[in-house]
Structure formats: C-alpha cells, structure tokens
Amino acid sequence: MARGAGPALRLLLPLLPLLALPAGRGNRTGAGSLFVSEYFSQSAQRLSFYSWYGNAKVFHFHVPEDTVLLRWLLQASRGKEPECTSMEVTVHFRYGAPPVINPLGTHFPANATVRPSYNISITLSSAVQNTTFVNITTPAAGDWFIAAHLPEAAGRIEVKGFSTPCTYMFQADMFVLRLTDMPVLEPGVAMPQTIVSPAKPLHVKVFVPKYAARMWFELRSCVTSERKACAVRVVLGSITLPQSFQRIVTCTGNVNCSISLDSLPWEKWLQIMVESLGTANASVSLEMLASFTDCRPGSTSSFLNFSSLNQSQAGSGPGSPTTPTGMALRNASDQRSFCLQNQPVVREDLDVVSVRYRLLNGPSVSVYSISPTLLLLNLNSGMDSGGSLVVNLLLNKTSLSQANATVVACVSAASPVLSLNTTQNCSTAFFQGYPLSVSTSSAEAMLIVLYPQTDDWFLSLQLICPKGQSECNTAEAKVTVIAYLTPCFNDCGPYGQCSLLRRHGYLYAGCSCKAGWSGWSCTDDTKAQSVGVQNLATLLLTLSNLMFLPAIVVAVYRYYLVEASVYTYTMFFSTFYHACDQPGIAVMCIMDYDTLQYCDFLGSVVSIWVTILCMSRVKKILKYVLFVLGSLLIAMSLQLDRRGVWNMMGPCLFALVIMIAAWVYHGVKRRQCYPSSWKRWVFYLLPGITLAFIAISVYAFMETNENYYYTHSIWHVLVAGSVAFLLPPRDKHKKPWAWSQKLTCRYQICQNDREELYAVT
C-alpha cells in the first residue's frame, strides 16, 4: 500500500456499507452474488502550474474485470506558508489513455482529432485540504488515467532558493467493487434471472466472439412478484470517459423488448445491467437471450504464405502484380460471399512508443464496394497509448475505374465498422470512430489520433459510388496505407522538443515548445516570435557581453591580469552559451550545451568573487590563495546544484565579509575612512554599487519568459559596467603601461647592474 493510505482508509470507513468488505473477503447479497471490494493507491505528487503537458501529474490505475462500481478519492492540499493563496486544481479523467487536455486554449495540429476530456475542479480556499469523490457505475475494465494540474503558469523566471513557493499536493486513491461470480449469458440460450429489489440491480456478461457482425438481445417473460406491470431498464456496455456510448432500453409491460447492436467489440466481455423500476419490495423475474450474426472473413493473403512474404520484402506498389487471391476478388460473386476482406499487417516495434505497421502485400491495398477491406492496427502492448497514431491514405487515381467513386475509411478502436456502404456512418456499437475519405479530387487524407487508447484498432475501407452500389460491383481502387505510432507528431516541429515522461514505469510523450510557439505539437504560432525577433534576441544576449571589454581594459591597465583573464573567460563562454541557448533558428553551438552552461555559470560567479576580493586590497599571496580556493569551491557547488541561489550569494557574502574586514583594518591603521578619497566614493564606488544592485533586482524580480532576451541583456550590461567602476586603482609603485618608457635605451636592456656593486667612488 502506497504512502497516504492511512488518511484514505479513515475516509473510507463511512463508505464500507457501500463498498462491501475489504479486499480478500466477500459478501453474498441478493440472488447469491458475491461482491469483493479492492483498494488501490498511488503516492501523492506535487502539482505544478501548467505551461505544457509535462506539468500535469499523471496517475495510472487498472480496473479489474467484472467491476460494477468505481470510486475515486481525490485529495488536494496546500502548504501553510504565507505565499499560499486560494487555488483551483483541475483533474482530468480518461479511459484507455492519458487525457488529451488543452488548458491554454491553443490550436492542435491539422488533421488531429480531439475530444474534450472529462474534468472536475477542486478549489483550495481557506481549507488546507479538500477531499472529493467521483463515482462511476459499471466502468470499463482496463487502464484508467487521471491528470491533475494547477492554472496557467505566470511565466516569471524565479531564482531557485530566492523565494519559497507554495506547495500544492494531489493524491488519488481508487476503490472498486466487483462481482466474483457474475453470471455468463450463453449465446442462443435463454437464461432466467431474478432482480431482488431496485436497490440491487442484476449484472450479467456475454462474450462477443471474433467476426461477430451483429448481436440481438431480447428480454422476455418479465413478471413481478406483485403481479403488476413489469418495468425494467437494461443498460448494455460500460462507461468510458470522456465519452460513453452505453445503450439503454426501458421495458414496460409484459411485451418482449429487444435491441440490435452492430459493430461490437471483438473478443471482449460485454457487461449487461438490468435494474427494476418498480416498487421497493417487488422482485422481478425475467429471461434474457442473446444471439450473434457471424461475419465470414475473406483474406487477400495469409501469414503462412511465404510467397506473399517474399513479395512484400521485394517491394510491391500500385503497379505490382496482384496475388491470385486478389485476382479472384475481382469477381463480384466471390466478394458477396465475404462480409469483409482481411489485409494482413505486421507490427514492427522501433523504439519506445514508436511502432511501424507494414502491409504484407505491399503499401497499397485493394478496395471494393461489396465488402470492406479491414486492417488491424494492434495497440495492445500497454505502452502504446502515450504517443500519437498517424494514418495516411493515398489514392492511386489511375487504379480507380469509376471516376466519381469515393473510398470511405473509418478508424475505430475495439470494433471494426462493417457497414460503410449502407450507412456511411463511422460509429460502432460503443465507440465513435474517425472518418476519412479519398477521391480523385482529394487523393490524400491524414488522421492523427493523440494518445490512442490501449486496444485493437481497425481501419475499414470501402468503395462508395454516388448513384448506388450497382455501378461499383466491378470497380476497384488502390489505396496506399501508411500507419505508424510516434511519440510526438512530426517530432514537435522545428520549435519544439519531444520529451519522454515517466510515471511508475508508464512512459508517455509530450512537446515542450519554444520561441513563443505553443500547442500540442508546437504548431500554434499565435504568439510565435518572428525570425527577426529571434535574431534580435540572439544579438542582444550575445553582443551585450561585449560590455566586459571596458572591464577587461581597465583591469589590464591597472595590472590586474588575473582578474582580466577571468573576465575574458566569462565574456567568451557567456556569449557562446547564449548563442547556443536560443529557442529559435538563430542558434550556434561550438561545443556541448551542458558544458557551455556550466562554464557560463562558473565564470559569472568567479568574476564576482575575484572582483570583491580585488577591492579588499589584501596581500597578494593571500588574494591569490583565495582566488584559487574559492574558484575550486564554487566549481564544486555548481556541480551539486547549478541553479541554486546560494551558488552566487554565498561567495558574494563571504567576499564582502573579507572586504569589509580588510577595509576596517586599513581604516584603523591609517586612522581615517577607507577608501579615503571622496572622489573614489562619488565617481567609482557608489555608481558601481548602484549598477550592481539594479542588476540583482532585474535578475531576481523582473525576468520572465517573454522579456528574457532584453532583461538578461540588461543584466549583462549592468554587471559588466559595475565591474569597471568597482575595480580599485593600481598600486602606487606600479607605473602604467607605457612601452616607450620601457625601451628608452636599447643597450641598457642588458645592463649588468652587478658591476655597479663594486664600483669605487
């Protein structure tokens, strides 16, 4: 049991009558039904303000089979710090895959299908903790995902350790109530059942075989114990979020009621719930009957046909010769004997959340009007729901004999669509599919399914003629199908970075955008920076480092050669780090990005360190020892935590203590204020200190993601300018650099001063 289970169980105590008994024990109620309750928990996560999908905290749960009740316990809490204010936590739910969310209202990529996620809001106002329950009856078995986040991020760049942000935590616990002996409805066999009371509905399940085209469900012989009119409600299917397509039938009187369902989920258990609408004390007896209509599949090739495998490896396209089976399918009478045509597809796993689907008979498939062509896209590995499924169709116009015909396609999960020629509706019994179409006027179509749910996905294609199917009986179309699963569509484009995110072993991908671009795949250019702005940002951040040149010149002129070397090092690596750090296209990296960043941070802190020590005017041997020792300690500190505020504040404060102690010592020794010259204070120290304080204020309080390129450039200018003002004057015994004075007499350069010691005067 994960952390946080104790408070969750205390909150669960009042719900035990509803959730039956703890896990591992059972309770028989009603007509001998055995209910078992189970509890699942995951550790709490710290919430973040939302700027991209990586800020959303994802929880992954698995709902067992035969679950009749699902209850989530959602706990949101905040810290007690003064910075903590009222906050709204948004929680999203989805079955089969992580929720596709859009809190910022950005645009999704073209051809992407998006259905709004089911979400609720939890408000943290005066209360430190808020607890919310979410109940789902007859939930679908399998993976369920929860994503929680705070409102949109403010965009301000905060220095780590400079302020204490408020801590917002979120934890999700799951309780399920399931039947261990749910009755099984056998196809074609009438099963009598009794509903004890309206408070205890009847749950049964029926297995849907593969290639089932239709199910006929009938409810008959309904009799109540009080000899009154029978009133029951039948719910077929399970709840899936964000959308649910349960079929509900209300039966009244003694007349038999029935429902027909097309395009059922193959090889899955279909849950059926029957509840009484009568009086509380009346029981209901009835009979249930389910029957299936089978679909006879045809196949364009076989997985065991090695000649077909060899042909696919050799490469077949729209102009490749058709297989004997494909030639047989040209006969309309052969097509009528099948309700669908199977096209074998091979799944090739390339990498994490990266799959390619290869057709055995080449990239193109034959599409007819009598029966649909069906392709199976397997996404059942449990790790495929964290990417994007891309399906691309390309019609070979020369292969289409009927110019006005259209190839209609449907991509659906769990259930294939087998009635495109009659209804042209891309919907199954419990799922709304994604329609596609290609024709001579529009020969290409693309579909992007973001975070496809874990299941078998089907691509159905069929030829449709505008004047009826009779003119399409002998028609054929060649369609090239390209299908693959990728972590991020188009690799997030030139203005984004695809990142793999992990939560308890589950991997999913998200795009982190830059240069003002936004959206799921960084395709929204509403706030994007133009190329001119990107070039301007690069020039400002790099050329602003040239302000170190005056500081370098002043240091060399005053014989502070070590300090000048440090400033040169800082100017060089800061220039090329910011040239490599740009989010747009104006980027130049002379070495590894991490190395440039480390050298830039190291040079900045060491520059401040050596400047303050130089101002202290301590003895040279002590100054150089502090230079080296401080630089080594700063390098170690940056390696431990590169962005910590004390990496800069620590050396600054320590150096200031040394400088103040040295100045006090010099003042006591000389019996006057040090530095003693008022001109030094007015024209050098005060301007330098003012520039330094303004630079720190800009760096700590004014930088945001939007104004970074000019506020940080101002930081460069102010810091470099303050160094030029704060450097102390040269020692009095040193003369300025004057090369003409050094070379007054050429022959005196090699004068032997030793001879003068023995001169007789």
Side-chain angles (χ1 to χ4, degrees):
M1 189 173 294
R3 181 169 59 89
L9 288 178
R10 286 195 296 271
L11 290 170
L12 177 62
L13 291 178
L15 307 174
L16 287 179
L18 177 63
L19 294 177
L21 298 176
R25 299 178 61 187
N27 181 29
R28 291 191 176 273
T29 61
S33 299
L34 180 62
F35 290 91
V36 173
S37 61
E38 296 178 348
Y39 165 62
F40 304 91
S41 178
Q42 289 190 6
S43 58
Q45 298 189 59
R46 182 173 179 175
L47 296 178
S48 301
F49 291 94
Y50 191 88
S51 60
W52 68 295
Y53 202 90
N55 299 129
K57 305 305 179 183
V58 176
F59 296 81
H60 179 202
F61 293 95
H62 186 81
V63 176
E65 293 282 350
D66 301 337
T67 298
V68 297
L69 176 63
L70 166 63
R71 168 164 289 190
W72 270 302
L73 171 62
L74 310 177
Q75 301 178 75
S77 61
R78 63 178 177 87
K80 300 180 180 180
E81 296 86 357
E83 297 83 0
C84 295
T85 58
S86 298
M87 193 61 60
E88 188 176 77
V89 180
T90 306
V91 186
H92 304 263
F93 302 85
R94 190 186 176 193
Y95 165 74
V100 179
I101 61 178
N102 189 19
L104 307 182
T106 56
H107 299 302
F108 286 90
N111 303 316
T113 58
V114 181
R115 290 166 182 165
S117 64
Y118 175 80
N119 62 82
I120 64 172
S121 297
I122 302 176
T123 303
L124 290 172
S125 54
S126 58
V128 178
Q129 183 172 353
N130 192 341
T131 302
T132 304
F133 294 96
V134 176
N135 295 332
I136 298 179
T137 57
T138 63
D143 295 331
W144 283 80
F145 293 85
I146 297 177
H149 62 84
L150 297 175
E152 180 182 359
R156 191 169 70 89
I157 301 176
E158 296 183 355
V159 181
K160 183 178 179 181
F162 196 81
S163 60
T164 304
C166 182
T167 302
Y168 298 93
M169 303 296 295
F170 180 81
Q171 181 175 354
D173 300 313
M174 184 180 74
F175 310 98
V176 298
L177 183 67
R178 65 183 182 89
L179 273 170
T180 59
D181 55 349
M182 183 177 292
V184 177
L185 181 60
E186 296 289 341
V189 179
M191 183 176 68
Q193 287 289 328
T194 301
I195 304 176
V196 179
S197 67
K200 299 176 181 178
L202 175 66
H203 297 274
V204 299
K205 62 180 179 180
V206 60
F207 187 77
V208 180
K210 195 174 183 179
Y211 301 117
R214 177 176 298 177
M215 185 186 81
W216 178 267
F217 178 81
E218 185 178 4
L219 200 65
R220 60 191 184 185
S221 303
C222 186
V223 179
T224 64
S225 60
E226 297 179 349
R227 303 300 179 181
K228 294 182 180 180
C230 185
V232 295
R233 180 167 55 195
V234 183
V235 181
L236 296 95
S238 304
I239 291 181
T240 58
L241 296 178
Q243 292 178 312
S244 293
F245 298 91
Q246 285 183 316
R247 300 300 183 92
I248 301 175
V249 182
T250 302
C251 304
T252 58
N254 297 324
V255 181
N256 297 341
C257 63
S258 59
I259 184 174
S260 177
L261 298 177
D262 295 327
S263 300
L264 296 160
W266 288 351
E267 296 185 299
K268 284 185 173 57
W269 289 100
L270 176 62
Q271 193 172 148
I272 303 173
M273 182 181 69
V274 185
E275 54 184 348
S276 174
L277 302 178
T279 59
N281 298 325
S283 62
V284 179
S285 300
L286 47 83
E287 284 187 354
M288 289 180 288
L289 178 65
S291 58
F292 294 95
T293 301
D294 296 334
C295 172
R296 181 186 174 191
S299 179
T300 56
S301 78
S302 171
F303 283 101
L304 299 179
N305 191 341
F306 290 98
S307 62
S308 173
L309 286 171
N310 293 333
Q311 179 184 356
S312 65
Q313 292 174 358
S316 60
S320 302
T322 58
T323 61
T325 309
M327 295 177 63
L329 287 174
R330 293 179 182 273
N331 192 329
S333 60
D334 290 343
Q335 295 181 46
R336 291 191 184 94
S337 63
F338 306 117
C339 68
L340 62 90
Q341 305 296 332
N342 268 337
Q343 178 66 38
V345 178
V346 176
R347 171 187 166 119
E348 296 181 350
D349 292 280
L350 304 178
D351 205 341
V352 179
V353 201
S354 182
V355 178
R356 181 177 63 184
Y357 297 97
R358 181 168 59 88
L359 280 67
L360 286 183
N361 286 336
S364 62
V365 296
S366 299
V367 182
Y368 307 95
S369 64
I370 300 300
S371 59
T373 301
L374 190 65
L375 285 74
L376 171 63
L377 308 177
N378 190 336
L379 293 174
N380 262 334
S381 70
M383 301 297 293
D384 302 327
S385 57
S388 298
L389 175 64
V390 181
V391 179
N392 195 358
L393 305 180
L394 181 61
L395 174 65
N396 185 354
K397 297 181 181 180
T398 59
S399 67
L400 187 61
S401 57
Q402 294 289 339
N404 295 328
T406 302
V407 176
V408 179
C410 180
V411 179
S412 58
S415 312
V417 178
L418 306 177
S419 57
L420 287 171
N421 59 341
T422 56
T423 63
Q424 299 186 21
N425 184 15
C426 185
S427 61
T428 65
F430 305 105
F431 186 82
Q432 177 60 48
Y434 305 101
L436 288 170
S437 63
V438 289
S439 60
T440 54
S441 59
S442 178
E444 187 174 2
M446 176 181 285
L447 172 69
I448 307 169
V449 182
L450 308 175
Y451 288 167
Q453 70 183 54
T454 300
D455 218 323
D456 286 332
W457 285 73
F458 297 92
L459 172 61
S460 303
L461 303 101
Q462 197 161 4
L463 195 62
I464 306 296
C465 289
K467 296 182 180 180
Q469 294 303 109
S470 58
E471 63 174 331
C472 284
N473 285 339
T474 58
E476 178 188 4
K478 289 283 188 178
V479 178
T480 301
V481 179
I482 301 174
Y484 58 92
L485 179 73
T486 180
C488 301
F489 175 69
N490 200 24
D491 200 25
C492 300
Y495 295 100
Q497 180 180 0
C498 184
S499 301
L500 278 178
L501 310 170
R502 183 177 65 180
R503 174 58 183 163
H504 285 174
Y506 175 77
L507 293 175
Y508 56 104
C511 286
S512 176
C513 306
K514 52 189 179 181
W517 289 74
S518 58
W520 189 268
S521 299
C522 301
T523 55
D524 189 346
D525 59 350
T526 305
K527 300 180 181 179
Q529 297 178 0
S530 63
V531 177
V533 173
Q534 296 176 31
N535 292 330
L536 176 63
T538 303
L539 291 175
L540 285 176
L541 288 170
T542 54
L543 298 183
S544 59
N545 288 284
L546 295 179
M547 279 299 297
F548 273 99
L549 288 176
I552 295 172
V553 171
V554 171
V556 171
Y557 179 77
R558 297 176 181 177
Y559 285 92
Y560 298 124
L561 303 183
V562 175
E563 291 82 348
S565 302
V566 174
Y567 302 151
T568 305
Y569 175 93
T570 303
M571 181 184 68
F572 177 84
F573 280 104
S574 180
T575 299
F576 287 101
Y577 164 65
H578 286 291
C580 184
D581 186 49
Q582 292 310 297
I585 59 175
V587 180
M588 184 184 70
C589 299
I590 63 172
M591 60 180 67
D592 182 66
Y593 173 83
D594 188 70
T595 302
L596 290 172
Q597 185 187 68
Y598 181 83
C599 293
D600 172 59
F601 287 18
L602 178 63
S604 301
V605 180
V606 173
S607 295
I608 299 174
W609 170 253
V610 299
T611 301
I612 299 177
L613 288 179
C614 183
M615 294 171 61
S616 63
R617 304 300 290 264
V618 296
K619 292 184 178 180
K620 283 188 176 181
I621 185 64
L622 178 60
K623 182 177 74 170
Y624 293 133
V625 168
L626 291 175
F627 277 4
V628 176
L629 184 59
S631 300
L632 294 176
L633 292 176
I634 291 170
M636 179 197 69
S637 176
L638 289 173
Q639 182 63 30
L640 294 175
D641 186 6
R642 191 170 298 181
R643 296 187 178 274
V645 65
W646 287 105
N647 291 330
M648 182 177 294
M649 296 298 296
C652 288
L653 294 177
F654 188 70
L656 286 173
V657 170
I658 296 176
M659 185 190 72
I660 293 173
W663 282 12
V664 170
Y665 172 78
H666 292 313
V668 171
K669 185 177 181 180
R670 299 183 181 184
R671 299 181 181 277
Q672 60 180 351
C673 181
Y674 184 86
S676 57
S677 173
W678 65 271
K679 295 182 180 180
R680 179 68 187 165
W681 281 97
V682 172
F683 295 108
Y684 295 98
L685 292 180
L686 291 179
I689 294 173
T690 303
L691 291 176
F693 272 104
I694 296 175
I696 293 174
S697 301
V698 170
Y699 180 79
F701 303 108
M702 295 181 60
E703 283 190 358
T704 64
N705 294 325
E706 287 75 16
N707 64 15
Y708 174 79
Y709 64 94
Y710 61 84
T711 53
H712 200 75
S713 301
I714 294 174
W715 153 264
H716 288 164
V717 173
L718 294 175
V719 169
S722 66
V723 169
F725 279 100
L726 293 176
L727 280 176
R730 64 179 181 273
D731 295 335
K732 293 182 179 180
H733 66 277
K734 286 185 178 284
K735 295 182 179 180
W737 293 96
W739 299 107
S740 59
Q741 297 179 9
K742 301 294 181 182
L743 303 175
T744 52
C745 298
R746 292 186 179 89
Y747 68 91
Q748 291 181 355
I749 294 178
C750 300
Q751 178 183 359
N752 190 354
D753 296 331
R754 189 180 183 87
E755 295 178 355
E756 296 180 0
L757 297 177
Y758 302 97
V760 178
T761 58

